[in-house]
Amino acid sequence: MIEHKNISQPIYIKLKEMILSGELEQGEKIVQERIASLLGVSRTPLMKALLALENEYLVESIPRRGMYVKSWDKKEITDIYICREALEGMAARLLALSSNDNIIKQLQACFNPFISKKKINLETYSKADEKFHSLLIKLTGNEPLDKIYFFGKIHDKVTGRGLIRTPEETLEEHFGIIKAISKKNADEAEKLARMHIKKSRELLFNQ
Amino acid sequence: MIEHKNISQPIYIKLKEMILSGELEQGEKIVQERIASLLGVSRTPLMKALLALENEYLVESIPRRGMYVKSWDKKEITDIYICREALEGMAARLLALSSNDNIIKQLQACFNPFISKKKINLETYSKADEKFHSLLIKLTGNEPLDKIYFFGKIHDKVTGRGLIRTPEETLEEHFGIIKAISKKNADEAEKLARMHIKKSRELLFNQ
DNA sequence: TTTTTGTATTTTGTATACAAAATACATTTA
DNA sequence: TAAATGTATTTTGTATACAAAATACAAAAA
């Protein structure tokens, strides 16, 4: 009956979903035995998953007290955006230096469905946006960069709302970044990618 | 006799030392029971420490096979330097935007001992260099940035040698960065910090 | 009433137990 | 000899056991 392949992995994924969906809410204590029995596993593989999530800034551990779902304040969200600015800017630069048709096609594919649409579905666009930004990192082929980019995938959950700016505003910016990459203009690509993040950050708390 | 405060923490530190010092060498398999009894603990807290090290890129896990001391190839080292370029560049920018006497003093303190020295001790300078670069990150007060900067602290071990360039060459660059920060020239500070890392990276494999 | 103290319960941190997978190694087969 | 097969040993992954710390809560004291 006991089969152990990689229980920690599915637990990790499940817990991440539960946190990002709000099923486990920010600041909530994760009582190990409770979650373990909820998921039908023991505390050992659960702990592995929790440690992985701690390293992704989704869970916070207070020694001898327990693990808590991380809650983010304004400063932390701002700081995360600043990190994204640095990392995505560098990614755009790298892609510009090594761009080819395949890379451009993949990036464009994210937003092609929205070209000249009158009404853009926010949910769909939001997913495309997330896809684009993580693709920007992935396509560089820089593994360490991808490893430290985990912030990007949670930004809209972190901010507590969906899109920060309208598709009408950001769609153009996205294509601008892609264009700079395709023209192999590294400085321009980096500048635009950074501006794109910076604008959202500045809007986030100053409106 | 059983006292549990935080055994994982000392194990983590000890293991990190063992890896960075070469006592455990790159690619070596970490047989859990062996290391656990070597350190006089059980596999449970050892595993916690190993997972933390895995997230810092010092240990690599192959499911059902074991944990191995990470070994770095040229591409990975280059990629790490590229990450450093992005992160330290941003850090220098942030410091320039918020610099004050205290920050400048702390940064200068790293290298003041070497001013107008005829012969600089390489070991001492190497430590000062490491201190400077992690201080650059720390002083920004950006926690997420610090969290993803773990690369910086291992760079000379990663490259398999000590300093990449001579103190005569880099000392000036360091003071240049500090000066730009003190002048609150953000663009200049970022540019110099990035150049500083880039030069080392380019020299690393192309000499 | 509010605060303090003591006791019961819960929860964490570590050690240990055990099944299944991986590995090592000897024996057999070509 | 080299390859293949089977068996013993090692090692991992998970579950469980248990001590110590943290917490909850009730009774006593202010």
Side-chain angles (χ1 to χ4, degrees), chain B residues 180-204:
Chain B
I181 292 172
S182 74
K183 285 192 301 179
K184 296 186 178 291
N185 189 336
D187 288 337
E188 179 79 357
E190 175 162 23
K191 194 185 101 190
L192 292 178
R194 281 171 68 151
M195 282 294 290
H196 177 67
I197 304 289
K198 197 181 176 193
K199 274 189 189 168
S200 293
R201 168 166 63 84
E202 287 173 345
L203 204 70
L204 204 47

mmCIF file with all atom_site columns, all heavy atoms in Angstrom, chain B residues 180-204:
data_model
loop_
_atom_site.group_PDB
_atom_site.id
_atom_site.type_symbol
_atom_site.label_atom_id
_atom_site.label_alt_id
_atom_site.label_comp_id
_atom_site.label_asym_id
_atom_site.label_entity_id
_atom_site.label_seq_id
_atom_site.pdbx_PDB_ins_code
_atom_site.Cartn_x
_atom_site.Cartn_y
_atom_site.Cartn_z
_atom_site.occupancy
_atom_site.B_iso_or_equiv
_atom_site.pdbx_formal_charge
_atom_site.auth_seq_id
_atom_site.auth_comp_id
_atom_site.auth_asym_id
_atom_site.auth_atom_id
_atom_site.pdbx_PDB_model_num
ATOM 1   N N   . ALA B 1 180 ? 29.703 57.512 -6.873  1.00 0.00 ? 180 ALA B N   1
ATOM 2   C CA  . ALA B 1 180 ? 28.458 57.745 -7.615  1.00 0.00 ? 180 ALA B CA  1
ATOM 3   C C   . ALA B 1 180 ? 27.254 57.678 -6.678  1.00 0.00 ? 180 ALA B C   1
ATOM 4   O O   . ALA B 1 180 ? 26.312 58.464 -6.798  1.00 0.00 ? 180 ALA B O   1
ATOM 5   C CB  . ALA B 1 180 ? 28.320 56.713 -8.729  1.00 0.00 ? 180 ALA B CB  1
ATOM 6   N N   . ILE B 1 181 ? 27.293 56.737 -5.742  1.00 0.00 ? 181 ILE B N   1
ATOM 7   C CA  . ILE B 1 181 ? 26.202 56.619 -4.767  1.00 0.00 ? 181 ILE B CA  1
ATOM 8   C C   . ILE B 1 181 ? 26.133 57.884 -3.913  1.00 0.00 ? 181 ILE B C   1
ATOM 9   O O   . ILE B 1 181 ? 25.054 58.430 -3.679  1.00 0.00 ? 181 ILE B O   1
ATOM 10  C CB  . ILE B 1 181 ? 26.375 55.366 -3.883  1.00 0.00 ? 181 ILE B CB  1
ATOM 11  C CG1 . ILE B 1 181 ? 26.169 54.094 -4.723  1.00 0.00 ? 181 ILE B CG1 1
ATOM 12  C CG2 . ILE B 1 181 ? 25.397 55.384 -2.707  1.00 0.00 ? 181 ILE B CG2 1
ATOM 13  C CD1 . ILE B 1 181 ? 26.492 52.810 -4.001  1.00 0.00 ? 181 ILE B CD1 1
ATOM 14  N N   . SER B 1 182 ? 27.310 58.348 -3.447  1.00 0.00 ? 182 SER B N   1
ATOM 15  C CA  . SER B 1 182 ? 27.314 59.516 -2.556  1.00 0.00 ? 182 SER B CA  1
ATOM 16  C C   . SER B 1 182 ? 26.854 60.767 -3.295  1.00 0.00 ? 182 SER B C   1
ATOM 17  O O   . SER B 1 182 ? 26.279 61.672 -2.696  1.00 0.00 ? 182 SER B O   1
ATOM 18  C CB  . SER B 1 182 ? 28.705 59.722 -1.945  1.00 0.00 ? 182 SER B CB  1
ATOM 19  O OG  . SER B 1 182 ? 29.591 60.238 -2.917  1.00 0.00 ? 182 SER B OG  1
ATOM 20  N N   . LYS B 1 183 ? 27.116 60.791 -4.611  1.00 0.00 ? 183 LYS B N   1
ATOM 21  C CA  . LYS B 1 183 ? 26.660 61.945 -5.415  1.00 0.00 ? 183 LYS B CA  1
ATOM 22  C C   . LYS B 1 183 ? 25.195 61.803 -5.810  1.00 0.00 ? 183 LYS B C   1
ATOM 23  O O   . LYS B 1 183 ? 24.656 62.634 -6.547  1.00 0.00 ? 183 LYS B O   1
ATOM 24  C CB  . LYS B 1 183 ? 27.525 62.091 -6.670  1.00 0.00 ? 183 LYS B CB  1
ATOM 25  C CG  . LYS B 1 183 ? 28.913 62.660 -6.402  1.00 0.00 ? 183 LYS B CG  1
ATOM 26  C CD  . LYS B 1 183 ? 29.597 63.054 -7.702  1.00 0.00 ? 183 LYS B CD  1
ATOM 27  C CE  . LYS B 1 183 ? 29.739 61.874 -8.650  1.00 0.00 ? 183 LYS B CE  1
ATOM 28  N NZ  . LYS B 1 183 ? 30.372 62.216 -9.933  1.00 0.00 ? 183 LYS B NZ  1
ATOM 29  N N   . LYS B 1 184 ? 24.584 60.719 -5.357  1.00 0.00 ? 184 LYS B N   1
ATOM 30  C CA  . LYS B 1 184 ? 23.179 60.427 -5.671  1.00 0.00 ? 184 LYS B CA  1
ATOM 31  C C   . LYS B 1 184 ? 22.935 60.340 -7.177  1.00 0.00 ? 184 LYS B C   1
ATOM 32  O O   . LYS B 1 184 ? 21.848 60.674 -7.661  1.00 0.00 ? 184 LYS B O   1
ATOM 33  C CB  . LYS B 1 184 ? 22.246 61.465 -5.035  1.00 0.00 ? 184 LYS B CB  1
ATOM 34  C CG  . LYS B 1 184 ? 22.286 61.438 -3.508  1.00 0.00 ? 184 LYS B CG  1
ATOM 35  C CD  . LYS B 1 184 ? 21.268 62.366 -2.908  1.00 0.00 ? 184 LYS B CD  1
ATOM 36  C CE  . LYS B 1 184 ? 21.265 62.306 -1.381  1.00 0.00 ? 184 LYS B CE  1
ATOM 37  N NZ  . LYS B 1 184 ? 20.762 61.036 -0.836  1.00 0.00 ? 184 LYS B NZ  1
ATOM 38  N N   . ASN B 1 185 ? 23.957 59.920 -7.885  1.00 0.00 ? 185 ASN B N   1
ATOM 39  C CA  . ASN B 1 185 ? 23.830 59.731 -9.333  1.00 0.00 ? 185 ASN B CA  1
ATOM 40  C C   . ASN B 1 185 ? 23.456 58.278 -9.615  1.00 0.00 ? 185 ASN B C   1
ATOM 41  O O   . ASN B 1 185 ? 24.311 57.408 -9.769  1.00 0.00 ? 185 ASN B O   1
ATOM 42  C CB  . ASN B 1 185 ? 25.150 60.095 -10.008 1.00 0.00 ? 185 ASN B CB  1
ATOM 43  C CG  . ASN B 1 185 ? 25.027 60.131 -11.524 1.00 0.00 ? 185 ASN B CG  1
ATOM 44  O OD1 . ASN B 1 185 ? 24.131 59.484 -12.098 1.00 0.00 ? 185 ASN B OD1 1
ATOM 45  N ND2 . ASN B 1 185 ? 25.892 60.898 -12.169 1.00 0.00 ? 185 ASN B ND2 1
ATOM 46  N N   . ALA B 1 186 ? 22.137 58.020 -9.685  1.00 0.00 ? 186 ALA B N   1
ATOM 47  C CA  . ALA B 1 186 ? 21.628 56.648 -9.761  1.00 0.00 ? 186 ALA B CA  1
ATOM 48  C C   . ALA B 1 186 ? 22.067 55.928 -11.038 1.00 0.00 ? 186 ALA B C   1
ATOM 49  O O   . ALA B 1 186 ? 22.513 54.782 -10.998 1.00 0.00 ? 186 ALA B O   1
ATOM 50  C CB  . ALA B 1 186 ? 20.106 56.647 -9.651  1.00 0.00 ? 186 ALA B CB  1
ATOM 51  N N   . ASP B 1 187 ? 21.954 56.638 -12.167 1.00 0.00 ? 187 ASP B N   1
ATOM 52  C CA  . ASP B 1 187 ? 22.336 56.014 -13.441 1.00 0.00 ? 187 ASP B CA  1
ATOM 53  C C   . ASP B 1 187 ? 23.809 55.614 -13.438 1.00 0.00 ? 187 ASP B C   1
ATOM 54  O O   . ASP B 1 187 ? 24.164 54.507 -13.841 1.00 0.00 ? 187 ASP B O   1
ATOM 55  C CB  . ASP B 1 187 ? 22.062 56.974 -14.605 1.00 0.00 ? 187 ASP B CB  1
ATOM 56  C CG  . ASP B 1 187 ? 20.563 57.121 -14.878 1.00 0.00 ? 187 ASP B CG  1
ATOM 57  O OD1 . ASP B 1 187 ? 19.813 56.188 -14.504 1.00 0.00 ? 187 ASP B OD1 1
ATOM 58  O OD2 . ASP B 1 187 ? 20.158 58.139 -15.441 1.00 0.00 ? 187 ASP B OD2 1
ATOM 59  N N   . GLU B 1 188 ? 24.628 56.522 -12.970 1.00 0.00 ? 188 GLU B N   1
ATOM 60  C CA  . GLU B 1 188 ? 26.070 56.270 -12.921 1.00 0.00 ? 188 GLU B CA  1
ATOM 61  C C   . GLU B 1 188 ? 26.395 55.117 -11.966 1.00 0.00 ? 188 GLU B C   1
ATOM 62  O O   . GLU B 1 188 ? 27.174 54.229 -12.288 1.00 0.00 ? 188 GLU B O   1
ATOM 63  C CB  . GLU B 1 188 ? 26.786 57.553 -12.457 1.00 0.00 ? 188 GLU B CB  1
ATOM 64  C CG  . GLU B 1 188 ? 28.295 57.445 -12.335 1.00 0.00 ? 188 GLU B CG  1
ATOM 65  C CD  . GLU B 1 188 ? 29.004 57.540 -13.684 1.00 0.00 ? 188 GLU B CD  1
ATOM 66  O OE1 . GLU B 1 188 ? 28.303 57.629 -14.715 1.00 0.00 ? 188 GLU B OE1 1
ATOM 67  O OE2 . GLU B 1 188 ? 30.255 57.496 -13.698 1.00 0.00 ? 188 GLU B OE2 1
ATOM 68  N N   . ALA B 1 189 ? 25.757 55.132 -10.803 1.00 0.00 ? 189 ALA B N   1
ATOM 69  C CA  . ALA B 1 189 ? 26.012 54.080 -9.804  1.00 0.00 ? 189 ALA B CA  1
ATOM 70  C C   . ALA B 1 189 ? 25.659 52.708 -10.373 1.00 0.00 ? 189 ALA B C   1
ATOM 71  O O   . ALA B 1 189 ? 26.428 51.750 -10.253 1.00 0.00 ? 189 ALA B O   1
ATOM 72  C CB  . ALA B 1 189 ? 25.210 54.356 -8.537  1.00 0.00 ? 189 ALA B CB  1
ATOM 73  N N   . GLU B 1 190 ? 24.493 52.636 -11.010 1.00 0.00 ? 190 GLU B N   1
ATOM 74  C CA  . GLU B 1 190 ? 24.085 51.350 -11.590 1.00 0.00 ? 190 GLU B CA  1
ATOM 75  C C   . GLU B 1 190 ? 25.034 50.927 -12.704 1.00 0.00 ? 190 GLU B C   1
ATOM 76  O O   . GLU B 1 190 ? 25.458 49.775 -12.764 1.00 0.00 ? 190 GLU B O   1
ATOM 77  C CB  . GLU B 1 190 ? 22.646 51.436 -12.139 1.00 0.00 ? 190 GLU B CB  1
ATOM 78  C CG  . GLU B 1 190 ? 22.240 50.157 -12.863 1.00 0.00 ? 190 GLU B CG  1
ATOM 79  C CD  . GLU B 1 190 ? 20.736 50.016 -13.044 1.00 0.00 ? 190 GLU B CD  1
ATOM 80  O OE1 . GLU B 1 190 ? 20.021 51.043 -13.023 1.00 0.00 ? 190 GLU B OE1 1
ATOM 81  O OE2 . GLU B 1 190 ? 20.281 48.859 -13.190 1.00 0.00 ? 190 GLU B OE2 1
ATOM 82  N N   . LYS B 1 191 ? 25.379 51.872 -13.549 1.00 0.00 ? 191 LYS B N   1
ATOM 83  C CA  . LYS B 1 191 ? 26.257 51.558 -14.690 1.00 0.00 ? 191 LYS B CA  1
ATOM 84  C C   . LYS B 1 191 ? 27.606 51.024 -14.198 1.00 0.00 ? 191 LYS B C   1
ATOM 85  O O   . LYS B 1 191 ? 28.093 49.989 -14.674 1.00 0.00 ? 191 LYS B O   1
ATOM 86  C CB  . LYS B 1 191 ? 26.480 52.834 -15.528 1.00 0.00 ? 191 LYS B CB  1
ATOM 87  C CG  . LYS B 1 191 ? 27.076 52.567 -16.900 1.00 0.00 ? 191 LYS B CG  1
ATOM 88  C CD  . LYS B 1 191 ? 27.381 53.870 -17.632 1.00 0.00 ? 191 LYS B CD  1
ATOM 89  C CE  . LYS B 1 191 ? 28.863 54.198 -17.557 1.00 0.00 ? 191 LYS B CE  1
ATOM 90  N NZ  . LYS B 1 191 ? 29.181 55.544 -18.049 1.00 0.00 ? 191 LYS B NZ  1
ATOM 91  N N   . LEU B 1 192 ? 28.181 51.695 -13.201 1.00 0.00 ? 192 LEU B N   1
ATOM 92  C CA  . LEU B 1 192 ? 29.498 51.290 -12.693 1.00 0.00 ? 192 LEU B CA  1
ATOM 93  C C   . LEU B 1 192 ? 29.431 49.937 -11.993 1.00 0.00 ? 192 LEU B C   1
ATOM 94  O O   . LEU B 1 192 ? 30.313 49.095 -12.153 1.00 0.00 ? 192 LEU B O   1
ATOM 95  C CB  . LEU B 1 192 ? 30.051 52.358 -11.742 1.00 0.00 ? 192 LEU B CB  1
ATOM 96  C CG  . LEU B 1 192 ? 30.433 53.684 -12.390 1.00 0.00 ? 192 LEU B CG  1
ATOM 97  C CD1 . LEU B 1 192 ? 30.913 54.679 -11.329 1.00 0.00 ? 192 LEU B CD1 1
ATOM 98  C CD2 . LEU B 1 192 ? 31.513 53.483 -13.454 1.00 0.00 ? 192 LEU B CD2 1
ATOM 99  N N   . ALA B 1 193 ? 28.361 49.725 -11.212 1.00 0.00 ? 193 ALA B N   1
ATOM 100 C CA  . ALA B 1 193 ? 28.226 48.447 -10.501 1.00 0.00 ? 193 ALA B CA  1
ATOM 101 C C   . ALA B 1 193 ? 28.109 47.301 -11.501 1.00 0.00 ? 193 ALA B C   1
ATOM 102 O O   . ALA B 1 193 ? 28.676 46.226 -11.308 1.00 0.00 ? 193 ALA B O   1
ATOM 103 C CB  . ALA B 1 193 ? 27.018 48.484 -9.573  1.00 0.00 ? 193 ALA B CB  1
ATOM 104 N N   . ARG B 1 194 ? 27.376 47.553 -12.559 1.00 0.00 ? 194 ARG B N   1
ATOM 105 C CA  . ARG B 1 194 ? 27.215 46.510 -13.573 1.00 0.00 ? 194 ARG B CA  1
ATOM 106 C C   . ARG B 1 194 ? 28.500 46.260 -14.339 1.00 0.00 ? 194 ARG B C   1
ATOM 107 O O   . ARG B 1 194 ? 28.887 45.113 -14.577 1.00 0.00 ? 194 ARG B O   1
ATOM 108 C CB  . ARG B 1 194 ? 26.063 46.873 -14.520 1.00 0.00 ? 194 ARG B CB  1
ATOM 109 C CG  . ARG B 1 194 ? 24.719 46.566 -13.883 1.00 0.00 ? 194 ARG B CG  1
ATOM 110 C CD  . ARG B 1 194 ? 23.553 47.105 -14.663 1.00 0.00 ? 194 ARG B CD  1
ATOM 111 N NE  . ARG B 1 194 ? 23.377 46.416 -15.929 1.00 0.00 ? 194 ARG B NE  1
ATOM 112 C CZ  . ARG B 1 194 ? 22.180 46.283 -16.529 1.00 0.00 ? 194 ARG B CZ  1
ATOM 113 N NH1 . ARG B 1 194 ? 21.089 46.793 -15.957 1.00 0.00 ? 194 ARG B NH1 1
ATOM 114 N NH2 . ARG B 1 194 ? 22.093 45.669 -17.663 1.00 0.00 ? 194 ARG B NH2 1
ATOM 115 N N   . MET B 1 195 ? 29.167 47.326 -14.713 1.00 0.00 ? 195 MET B N   1
ATOM 116 C CA  . MET B 1 195 ? 30.448 47.187 -15.410 1.00 0.00 ? 195 MET B CA  1
ATOM 117 C C   . MET B 1 195 ? 31.439 46.374 -14.590 1.00 0.00 ? 195 MET B C   1
ATOM 118 O O   . MET B 1 195 ? 32.178 45.538 -15.111 1.00 0.00 ? 195 MET B O   1
ATOM 119 C CB  . MET B 1 195 ? 31.044 48.583 -15.665 1.00 0.00 ? 195 MET B CB  1
ATOM 120 C CG  . MET B 1 195 ? 30.442 49.345 -16.809 1.00 0.00 ? 195 MET B CG  1
ATOM 121 S SD  . MET B 1 195 ? 30.789 48.535 -18.388 1.00 0.00 ? 195 MET B SD  1
ATOM 122 C CE  . MET B 1 195 ? 32.566 48.861 -18.519 1.00 0.00 ? 195 MET B CE  1
ATOM 123 N N   . HIS B 1 196 ? 31.423 46.657 -13.301 1.00 0.00 ? 196 HIS B N   1
ATOM 124 C CA  . HIS B 1 196 ? 32.356 46.004 -12.371 1.00 0.00 ? 196 HIS B CA  1
ATOM 125 C C   . HIS B 1 196 ? 32.191 44.484 -12.412 1.00 0.00 ? 196 HIS B C   1
ATOM 126 O O   . HIS B 1 196 ? 33.169 43.735 -12.499 1.00 0.00 ? 196 HIS B O   1
ATOM 127 C CB  . HIS B 1 196 ? 32.081 46.551 -10.969 1.00 0.00 ? 196 HIS B CB  1
ATOM 128 C CG  . HIS B 1 196 ? 32.912 45.935 -9.893  1.00 0.00 ? 196 HIS B CG  1
ATOM 129 N ND1 . HIS B 1 196 ? 34.267 46.110 -9.803  1.00 0.00 ? 196 HIS B ND1 1
ATOM 130 C CD2 . HIS B 1 196 ? 32.575 45.128 -8.861  1.00 0.00 ? 196 HIS B CD2 1
ATOM 131 C CE1 . HIS B 1 196 ? 34.728 45.451 -8.761  1.00 0.00 ? 196 HIS B CE1 1
ATOM 132 N NE2 . HIS B 1 196 ? 33.722 44.846 -8.173  1.00 0.00 ? 196 HIS B NE2 1
ATOM 133 N N   . ILE B 1 197 ? 30.954 44.033 -12.371 1.00 0.00 ? 197 ILE B N   1
ATOM 134 C CA  . ILE B 1 197 ? 30.679 42.588 -12.417 1.00 0.00 ? 197 ILE B CA  1
ATOM 135 C C   . ILE B 1 197 ? 30.954 42.044 -13.816 1.00 0.00 ? 197 ILE B C   1
ATOM 136 O O   . ILE B 1 197 ? 31.541 40.980 -13.991 1.00 0.00 ? 197 ILE B O   1
ATOM 137 C CB  . ILE B 1 197 ? 29.206 42.300 -12.056 1.00 0.00 ? 197 ILE B CB  1
ATOM 138 C CG1 . ILE B 1 197 ? 28.832 42.888 -10.698 1.00 0.00 ? 197 ILE B CG1 1
ATOM 139 C CG2 . ILE B 1 197 ? 28.931 40.794 -12.070 1.00 0.00 ? 197 ILE B CG2 1
ATOM 140 C CD1 . ILE B 1 197 ? 29.444 42.203 -9.537  1.00 0.00 ? 197 ILE B CD1 1
ATOM 141 N N   . LYS B 1 198 ? 30.532 42.810 -14.812 1.00 0.00 ? 198 LYS B N   1
ATOM 142 C CA  . LYS B 1 198 ? 30.656 42.352 -16.196 1.00 0.00 ? 198 LYS B CA  1
ATOM 143 C C   . LYS B 1 198 ? 32.112 42.121 -16.582 1.00 0.00 ? 198 LYS B C   1
ATOM 144 O O   . LYS B 1 198 ? 32.447 41.132 -17.237 1.00 0.00 ? 198 LYS B O   1
ATOM 145 C CB  . LYS B 1 198 ? 30.018 43.400 -17.126 1.00 0.00 ? 198 LYS B CB  1
ATOM 146 C CG  . LYS B 1 198 ? 29.717 42.869 -18.517 1.00 0.00 ? 198 LYS B CG  1
ATOM 147 C CD  . LYS B 1 198 ? 29.117 43.957 -19.400 1.00 0.00 ? 198 LYS B CD  1
ATOM 148 C CE  . LYS B 1 198 ? 28.915 43.448 -20.818 1.00 0.00 ? 198 LYS B CE  1
ATOM 149 N NZ  . LYS B 1 198 ? 28.632 44.540 -21.763 1.00 0.00 ? 198 LYS B NZ  1
ATOM 150 N N   . LYS B 1 199 ? 32.959 43.035 -16.151 1.00 0.00 ? 199 LYS B N   1
ATOM 151 C CA  . LYS B 1 199 ? 34.392 42.898 -16.459 1.00 0.00 ? 199 LYS B CA  1
ATOM 152 C C   . LYS B 1 199 ? 34.940 41.582 -15.915 1.00 0.00 ? 199 LYS B C   1
ATOM 153 O O   . LYS B 1 199 ? 35.678 40.878 -16.596 1.00 0.00 ? 199 LYS B O   1
ATOM 154 C CB  . LYS B 1 199 ? 35.178 44.073 -15.868 1.00 0.00 ? 199 LYS B CB  1
ATOM 155 C CG  . LYS B 1 199 ? 35.226 45.290 -16.754 1.00 0.00 ? 199 LYS B CG  1
ATOM 156 C CD  . LYS B 1 199 ? 36.208 46.316 -16.180 1.00 0.00 ? 199 LYS B CD  1
ATOM 157 C CE  . LYS B 1 199 ? 36.121 47.634 -16.933 1.00 0.00 ? 199 LYS B CE  1
ATOM 158 N NZ  . LYS B 1 199 ? 36.856 48.701 -16.215 1.00 0.00 ? 199 LYS B NZ  1
ATOM 159 N N   . SER B 1 200 ? 34.586 41.271 -14.695 1.00 0.00 ? 200 SER B N   1
ATOM 160 C CA  . SER B 1 200 ? 35.068 40.029 -14.095 1.00 0.00 ? 200 SER B CA  1
ATOM 161 C C   . SER B 1 200 ? 34.533 38.826 -14.856 1.00 0.00 ? 200 SER B C   1
ATOM 162 O O   . SER B 1 200 ? 35.255 37.870 -15.122 1.00 0.00 ? 200 SER B O   1
ATOM 163 C CB  . SER B 1 200 ? 34.644 39.939 -12.627 1.00 0.00 ? 200 SER B CB  1
ATOM 164 O OG  . SER B 1 200 ? 35.303 40.937 -11.879 1.00 0.00 ? 200 SER B OG  1
ATOM 165 N N   . ARG B 1 201 ? 33.260 38.894 -15.187 1.00 0.00 ? 201 ARG B N   1
ATOM 166 C CA  . ARG B 1 201 ? 32.644 37.784 -15.925 1.00 0.00 ? 201 ARG B CA  1
ATOM 167 C C   . ARG B 1 201 ? 33.338 37.549 -17.255 1.00 0.00 ? 201 ARG B C   1
ATOM 168 O O   . ARG B 1 201 ? 33.644 36.419 -17.622 1.00 0.00 ? 201 ARG B O   1
ATOM 169 C CB  . ARG B 1 201 ? 31.156 38.065 -16.157 1.00 0.00 ? 201 ARG B CB  1
ATOM 170 C CG  . ARG B 1 201 ? 30.495 37.122 -17.162 1.00 0.00 ? 201 ARG B CG  1
ATOM 171 C CD  . ARG B 1 201 ? 28.995 37.188 -17.122 1.00 0.00 ? 201 ARG B CD  1
ATOM 172 N NE  . ARG B 1 201 ? 28.439 38.470 -17.485 1.00 0.00 ? 201 ARG B NE  1
ATOM 173 C CZ  . ARG B 1 201 ? 28.213 38.879 -18.752 1.00 0.00 ? 201 ARG B CZ  1
ATOM 174 N NH1 . ARG B 1 201 ? 28.523 38.086 -19.756 1.00 0.00 ? 201 ARG B NH1 1
ATOM 175 N NH2 . ARG B 1 201 ? 27.685 40.066 -18.976 1.00 0.00 ? 201 ARG B NH2 1
ATOM 176 N N   . GLU B 1 202 ? 33.584 38.657 -17.967 1.00 0.00 ? 202 GLU B N   1
ATOM 177 C CA  . GLU B 1 202 ? 34.199 38.519 -19.289 1.00 0.00 ? 202 GLU B CA  1
ATOM 178 C C   . GLU B 1 202 ? 35.623 37.993 -19.204 1.00 0.00 ? 202 GLU B C   1
ATOM 179 O O   . GLU B 1 202 ? 36.088 37.272 -20.077 1.00 0.00 ? 202 GLU B O   1
ATOM 180 C CB  . GLU B 1 202 ? 34.166 39.870 -20.015 1.00 0.00 ? 202 GLU B CB  1
ATOM 181 C CG  . GLU B 1 202 ? 32.757 40.215 -20.485 1.00 0.00 ? 202 GLU B CG  1
ATOM 182 C CD  . GLU B 1 202 ? 32.633 41.602 -21.065 1.00 0.00 ? 202 GLU B CD  1
ATOM 183 O OE1 . GLU B 1 202 ? 33.559 42.421 -20.866 1.00 0.00 ? 202 GLU B OE1 1
ATOM 184 O OE2 . GLU B 1 202 ? 31.608 41.878 -21.700 1.00 0.00 ? 202 GLU B OE2 1
ATOM 185 N N   . LEU B 1 203 ? 36.278 38.332 -18.108 1.00 0.00 ? 203 LEU B N   1
ATOM 186 C CA  . LEU B 1 203 ? 37.668 37.891 -17.946 1.00 0.00 ? 203 LEU B CA  1
ATOM 187 C C   . LEU B 1 203 ? 37.724 36.411 -17.549 1.00 0.00 ? 203 LEU B C   1
ATOM 188 O O   . LEU B 1 203 ? 38.689 35.700 -17.829 1.00 0.00 ? 203 LEU B O   1
ATOM 189 C CB  . LEU B 1 203 ? 38.337 38.732 -16.852 1.00 0.00 ? 203 LEU B CB  1
ATOM 190 C CG  . LEU B 1 203 ? 39.861 38.810 -16.950 1.00 0.00 ? 203 LEU B CG  1
ATOM 191 C CD1 . LEU B 1 203 ? 40.254 39.639 -18.163 1.00 0.00 ? 203 LEU B CD1 1
ATOM 192 C CD2 . LEU B 1 203 ? 40.448 39.394 -15.677 1.00 0.00 ? 203 LEU B CD2 1
ATOM 193 N N   . LEU B 1 204 ? 36.654 35.950 -16.936 1.00 0.00 ? 204 LEU B N   1
ATOM 194 C CA  . LEU B 1 204 ? 36.658 34.648 -16.280 1.00 0.00 ? 204 LEU B CA  1
ATOM 195 C C   . LEU B 1 204 ? 37.004 33.502 -17.219 1.00 0.00 ? 204 LEU B C   1
ATOM 196 O O   . LEU B 1 204 ? 37.763 32.604 -16.875 1.00 0.00 ? 204 LEU B O   1
ATOM 197 C CB  . LEU B 1 204 ? 35.278 34.428 -15.653 1.00 0.00 ? 204 LEU B CB  1
ATOM 198 C CG  . LEU B 1 204 ? 35.184 33.473 -14.486 1.00 0.00 ? 204 LEU B CG  1
ATOM 199 C CD1 . LEU B 1 204 ? 36.258 33.733 -13.461 1.00 0.00 ? 204 LEU B CD1 1
ATOM 200 C CD2 . LEU B 1 204 ? 33.811 33.593 -13.855 1.00 0.00 ? 204 LEU B CD2 1
#
